[in-house]
Amino acid sequence: MRLFEQIRQYNYKRALKYNETYLFFVLIVFGAGITIINPTFLSPENTFDLINSSAGTAILAIGVFLVLMSGGIDVSFTAIAISGQYIAVNVLTAAHVDNLAFAFLVSCSVGIALGAVNASLISLFKLPTLITTLGTLSMFHGGLLAFVGTKAFNTGDLPNCFKAFGQASLFTLTRPDGSMYGLSVYALILLVILIASWLILRYTMLGRGIVAIGGNREAAERAGFDIVRIQYFIYCFVGFLAGIMGIMHVSLLRYSNPNYIVGDELNVIAAVVLGGARITGGSGSLLGTMLGVAMIVILEKNLVLIGLSSYWHQFFIGLIIIVGVSITYYQNLRRTNQRVVFVKE
Amino acid sequence: MTEKILEAKNISKAYVGVQALDSVNMDIRKGEIHCLVGENGSGKSTLIKIVAGVVKQDTGEIILNGHPYTYLHAIDSIRQGVQIIYQDLSLFPNLTVAENISLNQEIERSSKTINWNDIRSIAEKALSEIGEQLDLDEKVENISVASKQLVAISRALTQNARLIIMDEPTSSLTRDEITHLFSVITGLKTRDISTLFVSHKLSEVFEISERVSILRDGKMVGTYKTEELDNDRLIFLMTGKKIEATLYTFDEKSTKKTPLLEVLHLSKSRNFKDISFSLRKGEILGITGLLGSGRTELALALFGMYPADSGEIRIEGTPISIKSIPDAIKAGIGYLPEDRLNQGLFIEQTISTNIIVTILKKLLNRFRMVSKVKRKELVNKWVDELAIKTPSVEATAQSLSGGNQQRLVLAKWLATDPKVFIFDGPTIGVDIASKSTIHKIIRDLAESGMGIIIISDEIPEVLQNSNRVLIMYRGKIIEEITDVTSVTEDKLFSIMSGKDVNEAV
């Protein structure tokens, strides 16, 4: 409830300074436009479907958001997600275990381990984050294909626990024709992760450390933050979230292909950037990130509706990143020029 | 006897080959405002770092509140109440005022979680201790430099500071903000908190301090009561030299009546408005004004970096259009930036590369390659002419001292044969001895027939080295002083701060 309280506490002028405010209105206008073309857009069924299919992206986005906050960037998370997923599927199949908790355990462990590799390179060797994770993206995915395999698992080959998980609903509603549809448990998982991340970021010293490093690394060091420890947390946490997403992904698709997910990095990064996270670190919000994800997913699903081919999606993703980065750059430029702005026109 | 918060006894520190500090003694009394002055490289920052426990002295001891330390850890220094406010302030731009003030204390408490009510109340308390009010929820990136300084001071207070060391705190403040900062420092004094003020602006030293300690070449020249010193004496103690101040005189009849540079109704929205002035051969024109008065923006417009929106620029009577830096260079305008490290040099490149970079075309041989012979001739010429102190012209620019870097930037632009040269804050961060050399170079250039514009907020510098002064305020020229002997520094100051301006203007 604190979040809502906080939103209420914002005064009007301050709210206008927030990217989220604009994004929220854009989203409403966008949604209204789509509803005019496609009246079923706002139906519960369509909404549930959107949440279900975007929960995985949203979870990855939370991870990317944390990294961006700390002034870094991670592009290897897709490779981590698919590694977690594919290794978990292989382990479960080989060991003839049909247990979802075990699947999560394997996938998340892989995620944390690979995250730790990133963290080690970045914090101990002080390598630039973009180059490091570009490298590990390729290493992790290549390693997966070389050591674990390239064979895809069809629905029939998958342990049942995945399929059950993909279909589990929090509650169900009945269509006029009598068939059922429901809100997936994915919504709950996303909500838990979202709240946990928000609590960490806002109410723990660790979280403030992440924000502080993103703002001024040297000052954070002088203030006594343990930067190595904080970076380990960040990159392992991203790995952990990627591990969760990996299992959600296979369960929804009922198909595991070691070439999936990789390639979607920019989608997620675009959502976070669109959500207002500054690419140079230290600034942004989880609320904005979620709005950014909603925007990207809705865009992706409805392009065809507006009469554009899905190739346009890729085009827009790139555009969003360029525009998002330009805005950050422009704002910085304005800030540095602010001291010269004084003549009343 | 007054109680001493800090005593440094026989402190020596050597870095590879350099004796940074040599048996230095200094003491600071409780509630005292003490200034530490010295030229660049005199050992000021080494001494501060030793007091903070960041650097370990080779010999000697530091006594804090009566506790002697031969090996002072940073944490002990903090526990004894020593707080340093670095020049960059070490704040988090993306965090709120409240959090910036309170975060250190929260870390100190080694708490795992954050209580936002605590954060606010700690910040409120610290701000009220210095009698200030700031919007606690505003992000630090959105507040002024002066307010940032108050945030840094408040943060020091949350750590039970007994001695606050401020490293060059006034470098980016306006006059009014400095006055305000000084009142805050005086306020700390009434609460028995001592301040060690590190500065090289001598006027401020006289304004604020009770005692002054002077370092020169790693040795403590001595500690003096401020009232025992005057400006000349202090300069002498700092530099070991007598530096003569003479005014620059311009002989009107010696040059043509046609101005070298004419600026007519030049405007740039939000920066400056309707600027007109002229500059003749051999003249040194001073332009002064507060930070944000448009003085630097005007210079950058003349140099084509941020071109003006409207108005006319004429060189020797011919109207020219300056839309880019190459335009300005072609028109014969040179510029020495205020921030020489960021704007003036390729800091990692060699001295010779830096000198020739603006005139590569002139050095091409018939194969369109840079001629080595021409290159060498030119580089040596300027290194000699400007007396750049370096073992080799192939050393990197960053290996030079501040004053020499400034000369290098100058060499780079002089190589382009400019007619008009703009010096923007030519001696910022330069020590006094180099300052007078740079002033001498500027005068020599003017006497050789160049038209010079000096932009500076150091009033003595402008008055001494110009034959005419323009004062800018909020983007306009509000006053032209044709006889520099007719005004006092104080008068100029009040005009600059807009106090003598009829607001209707």
Side-chain angles (χ1 to χ4, degrees), chain B residues 59 84 100 122 125 129 171 181 194 237 266 277 305 359 396 402 448 464 479 496-497:
Chain B
T59 57
I84 298 194
N100 266 289
I122 292 169
K125 186 166 158 272
E129 278 178 32
S171 42
L181 176 70
S194 319
L237 291 171
L266 205 65
F277 67 88
M305 201 153 149
I359 45 154
T396 58
S448 74
Q464 240 178 59
E479 183 105 24
M496 223 168 112
S497 314

Side-chain angles (χ1 to χ4, degrees), chain A residues 20-317:
Chain A
E20 290 86 335
T21 317
Y22 295 104
L23 199 57
F24 186 68
F25 285 117
V26 170
L27 202 58
I28 286 180
V29 171
F30 194 50
I34 292 170
T35 313
I36 292 168
I37 306 170
N38 172 15
T40 65
F41 175 69
L42 279 177
S43 68
E45 183 175 0
N46 197 39
T47 312
F48 287 178
D49 185 48
L50 264 179
I51 293 172
N52 195 9
S53 57
S54 61
T57 308
I59 288 171
L60 291 180
I62 292 169
V64 171
F65 169 74
L66 282 179
V67 185
L68 279 187
M69 274 308 265
S70 75
I73 191 164
D74 186 347
V75 295
S76 71
F77 58 92
T78 51
I80 298 180
I82 195 63
S83 300
Q85 173 195 115
Y86 192 65
I87 290 170
V89 170
N90 271 285
V91 168
L92 261 66
T93 319
H96 300 291
V97 181
D98 192 1
N99 182 315
L100 188 69
F102 187 60
F104 271 115
L105 182 72
V106 174
S107 184
C108 291
S109 306
V110 169
I112 292 170
L114 297 182
V117 173
N118 279 335
S120 306
L121 293 170
I122 287 161
S123 66
L124 300 181
F125 301 110
K126 303 208 164 31
L127 301 180
T129 53
L130 177 62
I131 304 298
T132 306
T133 55
L134 262 174
T136 53
L137 165 72
S138 194
M139 271 172 56
F140 294 160
H141 189 225
L144 181 74
L145 298 175
F147 294 117
V148 185
T150 52
K151 173 177 110 50
F153 287 78
N154 288 317
T155 311
D157 308 329
L158 282 181
N160 285 320
C161 63
F162 292 121
K163 290 172 243 175
F165 176 53
Q167 285 177 324
S169 297
L170 291 171
F171 57 85
T172 51
L173 298 173
T174 315
R175 291 193 191 90
D177 65 8
S179 62
M180 313 273 278
Y181 67 96
L183 180 63
S184 161
V185 286
Y186 285 17
L188 183 66
I189 295 175
L190 172 60
L191 193 67
V192 169
I193 290 174
L194 190 61
I195 291 172
S197 307
W198 183 69
L199 289 174
I200 290 171
L201 216 49
R202 179 131 184 104
Y203 287 103
T204 68
M205 216 58 206
L206 179 70
R208 297 325 285 167
I210 295 174
V211 183
I213 294 176
N216 183 345
R217 195 190 152 106
E218 204 182 334
E221 231 162 329
R222 279 187 195 153
F225 281 114
D226 184 345
I227 296 192
V228 171
R229 204 178 70 107
I230 293 172
Q231 285 189 326
Y232 263 94
F233 171 79
I234 296 168
Y235 291 94
C236 291
F237 190 67
V238 173
F240 171 75
L241 293 181
I244 291 179
M245 185 273 180
I247 299 298
M248 289 166 67
H249 183 262
V250 62
S251 305
L252 187 68
L253 235 62
R254 316 167 112 216
Y255 179 70
S256 181
N257 182 328
N259 285 312
Y260 276 20
I261 309 181
V262 170
D264 287 345
E265 303 85 31
L266 287 187
N267 243 345
V268 180
I269 293 170
V272 181
V273 169
L274 187 62
R278 219 179 272 167
I279 206 112
T280 45
S283 179
S285 75
L286 279 166
L287 177 68
T289 302
M290 290 302 105
L291 291 173
V293 172
M295 193 76 199
I296 294 280
V297 171
I298 294 172
L299 182 74
E300 184 173 20
K301 298 245 170 202
N302 294 286
L303 272 178
V304 185
L305 212 67
I306 317 170
L308 293 173
S309 77
S310 60
Y311 298 121
W312 280 95
H313 182 66
Q314 210 176 344
F315 177 82
F316 283 125
I317 291 299

Side-chain angles (χ1 to χ4, degrees), chain A residues 14 17 202-205 208 211-212 215-216 219-220 222-223 225 278 282 335 339-343 345, chain B residues 86 88 90-92 94-95 99 107 111-114 116 135 137-138 141 270-271 291-292 297 474-475:
Chain A
R14 190 161 270 173
K17 281 202 267 175
R202 179 131 184 104
Y203 287 103
T204 68
M205 216 58 206
R208 297 325 285 167
V211 183
N216 183 345
R222 279 187 195 153
F225 281 114
R278 219 179 272 167
R335 196 163 297 117
R339 65 185 180 93
V340 311
V341 177
F342 51 84
V343 180
E345 296 278 329
Chain B
Y86 292 95
D88 66 8
S90 268
L91 296 176
F92 302 102
N94 56 332
L95 301 184
E99 210 179 351
I107 295 171
S111 42
K112 290 259 177 281
T113 56
I114 303 277
W116 287 93
D135 182 353
D137 297 323
E138 188 58 87
E141 64 192 358
R270 290 153 76 88
N271 284 277
L291 192 71
E297 294 68 28
R474 298 204 173 181

